[in-house]
Amino acid sequence: MIAVVASGLWLFICMTKDKYKFKSIVPCLLSVGIFAVLSTFLRTLDNGLSFVEAFFKQLQFVLVIFYACIGVYYMKWKSRVLPMLMWLCIAVYAYFGFKTLIAYQTMPGISRLIVRSSDDSMEFVKMGIGGYGLVYTMVFMISVALYVSLYEKKMIKKICLLLFAIEGGILVVQSGYFIANIMLIFSLLAFILQVYRKKSIKSVIVMFIPIVIFLFVAYNFILQFQNEIIKLVQGSLYEVKVHEILASLNGQEVEGKLEGRSIVYQKTFFNFLDYPILGAYAYGNGNMIGGHSTLFDLFGWFGLTSFAFYIVLKKVFRDLFYLCQDKGFYILIVILFFMNGTLNTIAAAHGVIIFLAIPGAVAYVNQQNNKYLI
């Protein structure tokens, strides 16, 4: 509710303060409005909910694309404001990340409990302990901290950024979220390569060749030492997932979370083929879809009407491309976004971090390089 009120206040201030600048993002805002109204209406057809109840069921994702519109506005007209948002996000994540790390020492896997147990979730949240949203967006914040540290001129700030990245890395590893750890490894590899490469489009493409080689070597290493790996993760939060991955690499049939996730993807795909225009919600089958892939689920839920989201997404990533001098960082963020969105759920926190904090990091680096900002 606070996010809705704050968003409405921001809209009112922008409309009254500078109408010309505000008009430039009206098409994006219309896309958000059309998507919000139409998708909410389709939900009411399936769940028997009132319009208000259905709207709040998907409020988090509506906020994500609304934050994308705000990001477009600031990248176009007020990019000097964005670095403040980046530093604010770093401070907030450092604080709540630290509190969550402390909780992990006595309650391992508590971030999963916050997501799955609604009765206990509120109590843990009041204690400042983060769940799924904190862990997965922390991967993006680690990338931000490492990227900015490459260009930061003040040593004290550079040290603080690196310490924050270390804190975030420990948090992600201890969280038990396997895909978040894969994203973290990818981010660290990209950072290491960024340190040594030249800033050109050609080198951005070449930088991924060592990553492919690393994955090939890692694949053979895992097969060679799989027994030792099983012993290493025994009793940890990753034990089940590692057993499933090793079974897949050995060509065995897997029964578990990985198989369940693939079944969910298949259901979403076939529901989209059955209801391509308005989606499954319009025909009472929306509850058959959902879980682990927001970008795919949108098509299953709302059919082609979900293109309103992709219109906004195209706009924000296009503006970020022109703002970002380091195309390697831009490509990394796009890959991480689609990895997260296709393999997991996008939460409201993703909107703040991806569409405000990340452009803030880009704008801050531009300031460090003495590039003119609006």
Side-chain angles (χ1 to χ4, degrees):
M1 184 59 71
I2 293 174
V4 173
V5 173
S7 300
L9 183 61
W10 179 86
L11 274 174
F12 176 76
I13 292 173
C14 287
M15 289 173 64
T16 55
K17 190 174 181 180
D18 197 326
K19 294 181 180 180
Y20 172 74
K21 293 179 180 178
F22 178 78
K23 286 180 181 179
S24 66
I25 63 166
V26 167
C28 289
L29 290 173
L30 284 176
S31 297
V32 175
I34 291 170
F35 174 79
V37 172
L38 187 55
S39 59
T40 301
F41 173 72
L42 293 175
R43 274 183 180 267
T44 62
L45 298 178
D46 182 60
N47 295 329
L49 301 173
S50 68
F51 190 85
V52 174
E53 290 173 329
F55 176 76
F56 277 99
K57 281 281 186 181
Q58 61 176 26
L59 177 59
Q60 283 209 59
F61 191 72
V62 172
L63 285 174
V64 168
I65 52 178
F66 179 74
Y67 293 145
C69 294
I70 297 178
V72 169
Y73 175 82
Y74 280 106
M75 281 190 284
K76 185 175 180 64
W77 299 111
K78 297 184 177 182
S79 55
R80 283 191 179 275
V81 177
L82 288 170
M84 292 188 293
L85 295 174
M86 177 201 70
W87 287 112
L88 176 62
C89 288
I90 288 176
V92 169
Y93 270 70
Y95 174 73
F96 287 106
F98 182 72
K99 297 198 73 171
T100 304
L101 271 176
I102 293 175
Y104 282 171
Q105 308 316 307
T106 55
M107 295 177 286
I110 191 174
S111 291
R112 289 182 175 276
L113 183 63
I114 290 175
V115 175
R116 296 176 180 175
S117 177
S118 57
D119 295 334
D120 298 327
S121 292
M122 189 55 66
E123 292 301 319
F124 291 134
V125 170
K126 288 179 180 178
M127 294 166 59
I129 300 171
Y132 165 86
L134 174 71
V135 174
Y136 273 85
T137 51
M138 181 62 84
V139 178
F140 290 92
M141 289 305 297
I142 292 169
S143 299
V144 164
L146 294 175
Y147 167 63
V148 174
S149 69
L150 286 174
Y151 298 91
E152 179 57 58
K153 297 176 181 178
K154 295 182 179 180
M155 185 56 64
I156 185 65
K157 286 186 177 181
K158 186 185 291 284
I159 293 173
C160 288
L161 288 166
L162 293 175
L163 288 175
F164 170 73
I166 292 171
E167 176 199 341
I170 296 172
L171 173 72
V172 173
V173 171
Q174 291 192 359
S175 68
Y177 285 105
F178 184 79
I179 294 175
N181 279 270
I182 296 298
M183 293 170 61
L184 175 63
I185 292 171
F186 192 89
S187 298
L188 294 177
L189 286 172
F191 169 72
I192 292 170
L193 292 171
Q194 274 185 313
V195 172
Y196 295 103
R197 71 174 178 79
K198 296 178 180 179
K199 297 177 181 64
S200 66
I201 293 295
K202 181 180 178 181
S203 60
V204 168
I205 297 172
V206 172
M207 68 180 276
F208 290 102
I209 296 177
I211 294 178
V212 174
I213 296 173
F214 170 81
L215 293 175
F216 177 76
V217 173
Y219 170 77
N220 287 279
F221 177 84
I222 290 171
L223 291 181
Q224 188 71 27
F225 297 97
Q226 52 187 306
N227 292 330
E228 286 73 14
I229 293 172
I230 291 172
K231 292 178 182 178
L232 184 65
V233 300
Q234 191 169 6
S236 73
L237 296 170
Y238 300 100
E239 183 176 3
V240 175
K241 194 80 73 174
V242 168
H243 275 285
E244 293 176 12
I245 292 172
L246 289 174
S248 298
L249 292 176
N250 285 293
Q252 302 171 9
E253 292 187 4
V254 178
E255 293 184 3
K257 294 181 180 179
L258 294 178
E259 183 190 36
R261 185 168 294 197
S262 65
I263 292 173
V264 170
Y265 295 157
Q266 290 175 31
K267 284 184 178 179
T268 301
F269 176 72
F270 287 115
N271 269 278
F272 172 70
L273 294 181
D274 291 337
Y275 316 109
I277 306 301
L278 296 177
Y281 269 127
Y283 299 91
N285 293 322
N287 289 329
M288 296 177 62
I289 300 171
H292 304 303
S293 182
T294 296
L295 297 180
F296 287 155
D297 291 345
L298 283 173
F299 287 106
W301 283 331
F302 309 118
L304 295 179
T305 59
S306 61
F307 268 115
F309 163 72
Y310 288 95
I311 291 172
V312 178
L313 194 65
K314 176 187 175 183
K315 172 67 175 172
V316 70
F317 276 122
R318 186 185 66 181
D319 288 359
L320 183 61
F321 176 83
Y322 289 122
L323 185 68
C324 187
Q325 299 177 64
D326 190 334
K327 303 308 180 188
F329 177 69
Y330 172 82
I331 292 173
L332 171 63
I333 293 303
V334 172
I335 291 174
L336 289 179
F337 174 79
F338 282 99
M339 281 179 67
N340 195 143
T342 54
L343 298 175
N344 261 309
T345 305
I346 295 177
H350 285 89
V352 177
I353 301 306
I354 297 170
F355 302 127
L356 293 175
I358 288 174
V362 172
Y364 183 76
V365 167
N366 288 348
Q367 288 180 353
Q368 297 297 298
N369 294 336
N370 298 318
K371 184 177 178 180
Y372 176 74
L373 291 177
I374 297 172

